Amino acid sequence: MRFRPCIDIHNGKVKQIVGLSLKDNNGASVAEENYVSDRGADYYADLYRQRKLNGGHIILLNKKGTKEYEQDLVQAKEALNAYPGGMQIGGGVDASNAEQMLDMGASHVIVTSAVFKDGSINYENLKNISYVTGKERLVLDLSCRLTGDDYYIMTDRWQKFTDERLSIGLMIHIGKYCDEFLVHAVDVEGCAEGIERDVVRLLGESNNIKATYAGGINSLEDIEELELLGNGKVDFTVGSALDLFGGSLSFEELAKRYE
């Protein structure tokens, strides 16, 4: 179990937002903000590098093709220059730009919408991007929301449901194309009100799946519960609750605890 740090970028700034609040409104991307940093993404990447925390992720929260996405990309480049090979990158990634992201210094690219296209798995897209990156440099984002008794994978910056249910069977099936999974529990993402326990339990069920959980962590007690429910196998990331981003959970304490 490892602590994986994060850098979320929206409208060209490092932010922490409430995940479900992210919307496109008359051509603008808006979100409920928990924290907006006055520092660039390179500051955080260099901090993670100094503490030898690798395998974290940079997420671009704007829609690909917009000027705001290009602003996000500028920040991401600076972060990857500060910590080459130390962080993954996601947001608007597909087979057309995955190689560019890796050449910028990302260890892996993170993909959702290009693979879970129009509500289901597009195997042609999955195979194409896995071919471009190599299995060992691809992360599939299985961000999910609860509907009824099951969790379903979300796309388009957590705004659209797919027909694909999060399950061990699904992860084993598509795991042959990727190195690991990133799973945001969207209902609690950015809320810092506790973890989505059933998601963590599910991720901890298999010995052969590498996964990082994100969403709702607010305290060391949450992390200890995550370790227990995930059988010590599920990595985690913390956003809004960290003192780096205006919260009360000590980054330094976490870095020391999980170095």
Side-chain angles (χ1 to χ4, degrees):
M1 178 172 165
R2 292 193 292 158
F3 169 38
R4 306 274 200 113
C6 66
I7 302 173
D8 294 346
I9 308 172
H10 181 244
N11 294 343
K13 292 183 177 295
V14 176
K15 294 183 182 180
Q16 285 294 314
I17 68 167
V18 177
L20 280 178
S21 72
L22 185 62
K23 297 287 186 297
D24 294 318
N25 185 13
N26 295 323
S29 179
V30 297
E32 182 180 338
E33 298 169 345
N34 289 324
Y35 182 81
V36 181
S37 180
D38 59 1
R39 298 181 184 272
D42 56 333
Y43 167 82
Y44 297 97
D46 188 56
L47 183 62
Y48 302 154
R49 180 192 61 79
Q50 292 177 43
R51 299 314 306 263
K52 297 182 173 60
L53 294 169
N54 59 25
H57 55 271
I58 300 167
I59 300 295
L60 313 182
L61 291 171
N62 287 97
K63 186 176 183 179
K64 184 182 178 183
T66 64
K67 67 177 183 180
E68 290 82 7
Y69 183 86
E70 293 304 315
Q71 293 168 353
D72 295 350
L73 198 56
V74 169
Q75 285 290 316
K77 287 178 182 178
E78 293 179 358
L80 292 172
N81 283 337
Y83 195 2
M87 300 197 74
Q88 306 168 355
I89 188 169
V93 180
D94 56 29
S96 71
N97 62 0
E99 189 171 9
Q100 172 196 352
M101 299 291 189
L102 295 175
D103 289 344
M104 281 165 44
S107 65
H108 297 65
V109 295
I110 305 166
V111 179
T112 308
S113 298
V115 167
F116 294 90
K117 194 77 172 174
D118 299 323
S120 60
I121 300 171
N122 184 311
Y123 284 96
E124 182 178 358
N125 287 358
L126 176 57
K127 291 174 183 178
N128 284 344
I129 195 164
S130 185
Y131 176 78
V132 169
T133 64
K135 175 184 186 295
E136 69 280 359
R137 302 189 76 180
L138 178 62
V139 178
L140 293 179
D141 185 337
L142 305 183
S143 295
C144 59
R145 287 189 70 187
L146 184 64
T147 300
D149 295 328
D150 295 309
Y151 290 87
Y152 285 84
I153 295 165
M154 304 292 294
T155 63
D156 297 300
R157 293 163 299 133
W158 309 321
Q159 296 180 48
K160 294 181 181 178
F161 277 98
T162 73
D163 298 325
E164 301 291 347
R165 184 173 62 88
L166 182 67
S167 68
I168 292 296
L170 174 69
M171 288 188 280
I172 291 173
H173 181 58
I174 62 177
K176 59 188 174 184
Y177 298 103
C178 68
D179 186 43
E180 60 181 281
F181 298 99
L182 172 63
V183 182
H184 293 86
V186 178
D187 287 310
V188 296
E189 174 66 23
C191 297
E193 294 177 352
I195 62 175
E196 194 78 76
R197 294 175 179 84
D198 289 340
V199 173
V200 176
R201 287 191 190 97
L202 188 153
L203 297 178
E205 286 178 4
S206 173
N207 291 324
N208 300 316
I209 291 172
K210 290 196 297 181
T212 299
Y213 170 86
I217 293 174
N218 190 45
S219 64
L220 288 176
E221 289 75 20
D222 286 338
I223 295 169
E224 290 165 357
E225 184 177 20
L226 187 149
E227 183 169 11
L228 178 64
L229 296 176
N231 295 313
K233 297 180 294 188
V234 181
D235 292 348
F236 68 96
T237 189
V238 185
S240 298
L242 273 187
D243 56 1
L244 288 181
F245 304 119
S248 59
L249 192 57
S250 169
F251 168 76
E252 286 299 327
E253 185 173 351
L254 274 188
K256 289 177 182 177
R257 186 167 178 163
Y258 292 97
E259 62 186 2

